[in-house]
Amino acid sequence: MVVEVPRWTIAKMEIATMEPLNPIKQDIKKGNLRFVANIFPYKGYIWNYGALPQTWEDPKHTDELTGYAGDNDPIDVCEIGTKVCTRGEVIQVKVLGTLALIDEGETDWKIIAIDIKDPEADQFNNIDDVERLKPGYLTASVDWFKRYKLPDGKPENQFAFDGEFKDKDFAMKVIKSTHAFWKALIMKQAPTEGINCTNTTVSGSPSLCSEPDAATILNKLPEFGMGDSTAANLDQWWFDKKN
């Protein structure tokens, strides 16, 4: 897992798939840096949030499980361990289950996982263990994903399977499927949908570049900072006053 957003933070950081070597950058909407609101009673993201590398939710493929096409991104991961990770950290995780979010008409799988180095990792082996050992966490996760776009004036998100979490075996099948889509993408056997596939490690990929060439690309990139959430008056609770 590549950590994009550490737990408790609100800057919407993500892998910039359209740019060479896919750096992690803060998302921009309508010219403004993007943050998520602190929807009461939550503070920012309630997990370490990121993505599984070498996966891709193909927007040209209608998922037979959800009835919706993919969102053109790597598959997302919610890491539920005790440590607050750092942005850009790469950790090995144990897959526990998955939730099928339908985000603005697109399939957006959320993998539930735990860092294998977490002191409690041995106690977690499937999705039921999350409810047993961290009661309320899964319910809160569904609620967070359902409501996190409300402050932007958008409707509540929907879920396949009525918001039911699926188990580890189900999640692994989803991961393997999205890995197969990624393999076709990186080998240019599928339309790239604007994704920049430049890489330094995938032998046989038409977009393979040398490490010196990658260093040249990186040296030409501007430095990216992160927006100031305090200045934007975002370190406040947001209440859904309709409910």
Side-chain angles (χ1 to χ4, degrees), residues 122-137:
D122 288 346
Q123 301 179 54
F124 289 85
N125 296 294
N126 214 321
I127 197 68
D128 291 341
D129 295 323
V130 181
E131 184 59 33
R132 179 172 59 86
L133 297 169
K134 294 178 182 280
Y137 207 168

Side-chain angles (χ1 to χ4, degrees), residues 33 37 39-40 54 83 91-92 110-111 115 127 136 148 161 164 182 186 200 203 209 218 226:
L33 293 171
I39 297 178
F40 186 83
Q54 300 192 357
K83 173 186 173 183
I91 60 174
Q92 187 173 354
K110 307 299 181 184
I111 299 297
D115 186 344
I127 197 68
Y148 84 102
F161 315 113
E164 175 190 354
W182 171 84
I186 203 72
T200 62
S203 177
C209 74
L218 291 175
M226 188 174 66

Side-chain angles (χ1 to χ4, degrees), residues 19-50:
E19 300 190 19
L21 301 175
N22 306 149
I24 296 176
K25 294 175 58 178
Q26 189 166 0
D27 190 25
I28 296 176
K29 287 289 178 71
K30 298 181 179 179
N32 297 315
L33 293 171
R34 187 177 171 196
F35 298 88
V36 297
N38 293 308
I39 297 178
F40 186 83
Y42 310 115
K43 167 60 176 164
Y45 283 72
I46 61 174
W47 341 258
N48 293 303
Y49 191 73

Side-chain angles (χ1 to χ4, degrees), residues 10-192:
I10 64 173
K12 184 68 173 72
M13 309 295 289
E14 58 184 26
I15 296 170
T17 58
M18 307 297 179
E19 300 190 19
L21 301 175
N22 306 149
I24 296 176
K25 294 175 58 178
Q26 189 166 0
D27 190 25
I28 296 176
K29 287 289 178 71
K30 298 181 179 179
N32 297 315
L33 293 171
R34 187 177 171 196
F35 298 88
V36 297
N38 293 308
I39 297 178
F40 186 83
Y42 310 115
K43 167 60 176 164
Y45 283 72
I46 61 174
W47 341 258
N48 293 303
Y49 191 73
L52 282 186
Q54 300 192 357
T55 63
W56 179 50
E57 298 193 65
D58 186 350
K60 295 295 186 182
H61 173 77
T62 299
D63 192 311
E64 62 183 17
L65 298 171
T66 67
Y68 294 90
D71 69 352
N72 203 30
D73 280 326
I75 199 166
D76 297 319
V77 186
C78 302
E79 193 280 320
I80 64 167
T82 55
K83 173 186 173 183
V84 176
C85 294
T86 57
R87 185 170 294 108
E89 189 173 354
V90 179
I91 60 174
Q92 187 173 354
V93 295
K94 180 191 292 188
V95 173
L96 303 174
T98 189
L99 176 70
L101 175 68
I102 306 302
D103 190 349
E104 299 184 26
E106 297 176 328
T107 299
D108 190 4
W109 292 102
K110 307 299 181 184
I111 299 297
I112 308 300
I114 190 168
D115 186 344
I116 64 167
K117 295 182 179 179
D118 190 274
E120 298 180 339
D122 288 346
Q123 301 179 54
F124 289 85
N125 296 294
N126 214 321
I127 197 68
D128 291 341
D129 295 323
V130 181
E131 184 59 33
R132 179 172 59 86
L133 297 169
K134 294 178 182 280
Y137 207 168
L138 296 180
T139 300
S141 296
V142 171
D143 186 55
W144 194 97
F145 279 120
K146 179 186 294 184
R147 299 197 294 137
Y148 84 102
K149 289 188 176 181
L150 291 180
D152 297 327
K154 296 183 177 181
E156 290 183 346
N157 277 323
Q158 304 299 312
F159 303 88
F161 315 113
D162 294 323
E164 175 190 354
F165 285 86
K166 296 298 184 178
D167 66 10
K168 176 180 180 176
D169 289 343
F170 189 105
M172 292 302 297
K173 290 178 181 178
V174 171
I175 292 169
K176 289 177 180 178
S177 173
T178 57
H179 176 63
F181 291 136
W182 171 84
K183 285 171 65 176
L185 173 73
I186 203 72
M187 293 299 180
K188 297 292 180 70
Q189 296 170 354
T192 59

